[in-house]
Amino acid sequence: MTKKNIHYIVIAITGFILLFLLFVSSKERVQFYGIADSKETVINYNFPVFIEKIYVSPGSPVKKGTPLLGIKLAPTNTSLKTLPLEIEQLQAEKEFWKTKKTHEIQNTLLIQKEELNKINYTIDQLKKISDQNTSILKEMKSLKLVPNATTTTTEDELNMLKKRRADLLKKYSFTLNALENEKEIGSQPLFKEMEKIAAEVNLGNHEKNDLIIINAPDDGVVGDLLCKTNTYVKPFEKLLSFYESHPNIIKGYIHENAHSKINIGDKVLVSSSTNDTKVYEGTVTGLGSRIVTIPERLRKISQIKIYGREINVLIETQTNSLLQKEKVLLTHLENNDKDLNRVPAVLN
């Protein structure tokens, strides 16, 4: 049997013995609920950095020295973080320009089509009239009724309309070619600006220092991950949070009618609200300076608001089996209880 197993068995036996001793005692105790937590370590850097690699994910348990992030120092003479955004904005402007010109070309083609349809319709009608007149004149000539009759007027109108159609086609051809040129040439300054910014980014990448590895400061768990790879981060901006594997800080709330019975330095027993074998000794390290609403999770009846004082407790053992954010029961120990001859009973 390993030392670890023996340790857990001793804790379990001690818990049950202390629980029995409490039940046979009639002495009333001050008890209240709290939440197990641990001190959060925020990891940041005092220089602008480029996030090269991320080795962990939120909630990952890690050992001391485990690589968390791979970063490179960013050049301080260039706001490289904003350059990719500038490229995106210029790309959007370029696409907007091309879309705008495409719509103008489409509208111009529609207008051209409408005008040409009107002219073609008029030409078709005049052709019909001209053909009818020509047929009538031929018949009249054959009858020698109008030997010198002609259709000069209609032919002149047709020629004029055909010239107008040719001019119209020439005009719209020029306009459409101009719009196509604007569509391409007009976006070139934006493209050149994008190339310039991209060159600055590449130069900055070459100027960055060697990869710096940020390691876990101790055994623990990765909390929030607030950065992404291939991005720039400002100085002192939070990269990720890290907390110890075993919570050793308890934030409790004692009812306002009992808060005067407990003082800084007093001993309390901390036990899991769901497992009586998880029992640890703690010391009161802080008292709130005002009465506050006790969180719903820590009330006997969650729907009824009650008020109390915040109590901070430090668990003295270096390791424990409590979970992060686990609900715990705290029992105030009197002077004659400091030998841990009692264990808390569950509150009614």
Side-chain angles (χ1 to χ4, degrees), residues 187-203:
S187 63
Q188 285 184 5
L190 296 174
F191 181 75
K192 290 184 180 299
E193 185 65 20
M194 289 165 59
E195 286 185 327
K196 178 182 176 182
I197 294 175
E200 290 182 29
V201 173
N202 290 332
L203 177 62

Side-chain angles (χ1 to χ4, degrees), residues 10-247:
V10 170
I11 290 177
I13 294 174
T14 303
F16 284 120
I17 293 174
L18 296 178
L19 180 62
F20 173 76
L21 291 174
L22 178 68
F23 281 137
V24 299
S25 172
S26 60
K27 186 176 180 180
E28 185 178 355
R29 299 171 175 277
V30 176
Q31 294 181 314
F32 51 98
Y33 283 119
I35 300 296
D37 209 341
S38 60
K39 184 178 179 181
E40 182 183 60
T41 300
V42 174
I43 295 177
N44 55 26
Y45 219 81
N46 58 344
F47 291 99
V49 297
F50 178 79
I51 307 301
E52 185 80 14
K53 294 181 180 180
I54 297 176
Y55 300 103
V56 293
S57 57
S60 301
V62 294
K63 295 291 185 181
K64 182 178 180 179
T66 300
L68 302 176
L69 298 172
I71 65 172
K72 292 183 178 180
L73 296 182
T76 55
N77 59 345
T78 308
S79 56
L80 290 175
K81 186 178 180 181
T82 63
L83 294 182
L85 179 60
E86 291 181 26
I87 292 177
E88 290 181 9
Q89 291 174 339
L90 290 171
Q91 181 66 36
E93 290 180 26
K94 178 183 174 184
E95 295 301 323
F96 176 78
W97 172 266
K98 287 195 171 185
T99 301
K100 178 183 176 182
K101 290 302 172 183
T102 298
H103 288 162
E104 289 183 21
I105 291 170
Q106 292 172 345
N107 290 334
T108 302
L109 287 171
L110 287 174
I111 295 171
Q112 178 193 34
K113 184 177 180 181
E114 289 178 3
E115 293 190 20
L116 286 175
N117 285 341
K118 290 179 181 179
I119 293 175
N120 289 332
Y121 176 78
T122 305
I123 289 174
D124 290 340
Q125 294 300 313
L126 285 174
K127 279 185 177 180
K128 288 180 181 180
I129 294 172
S130 177
D131 291 342
Q132 289 177 357
N133 290 340
T134 301
S135 177
I136 292 172
L137 288 173
K138 283 182 180 181
E139 187 175 346
M140 292 177 71
K141 284 180 180 180
S142 64
L143 297 174
K144 297 182 180 181
L145 296 175
V146 193
N148 298 320
T150 65
T151 59
T152 304
T153 302
T154 305
E155 291 296 331
D156 289 344
E157 290 182 12
L158 280 171
N159 290 334
M160 182 182 68
L161 286 171
K162 288 177 180 178
K163 184 178 182 305
R164 181 180 172 187
R165 181 174 62 183
D167 292 341
L168 189 67
L169 287 170
K170 185 177 180 181
K171 168 191 168 184
Y172 277 106
S173 176
F174 177 82
T175 302
L176 290 169
N177 286 334
L179 288 173
E180 288 288 354
N181 288 335
E182 287 180 19
K183 179 180 176 181
E184 295 302 322
I185 297 175
S187 63
Q188 285 184 5
L190 296 174
F191 181 75
K192 290 184 180 299
E193 185 65 20
M194 289 165 59
E195 286 185 327
K196 178 182 176 182
I197 294 175
E200 290 182 29
V201 173
N202 290 332
L203 177 62
N205 289 337
H206 287 301
E207 290 178 354
K208 292 196 298 286
N209 295 328
D210 293 336
L211 188 68
I212 300 171
I213 303 298
I214 298 178
N215 298 318
D218 208 335
D219 293 353
V221 179
V222 177
D224 296 327
L225 187 60
L226 300 175
C227 59
K228 296 180 180 179
T229 55
N230 299 321
T231 58
Y232 291 90
V233 179
K234 296 177 182 178
F236 302 105
E237 190 169 310
K238 185 176 179 180
L239 302 177
L240 60 80
S241 61
F242 179 87
Y243 53 89
E244 297 176 359
S245 303
H246 305 287

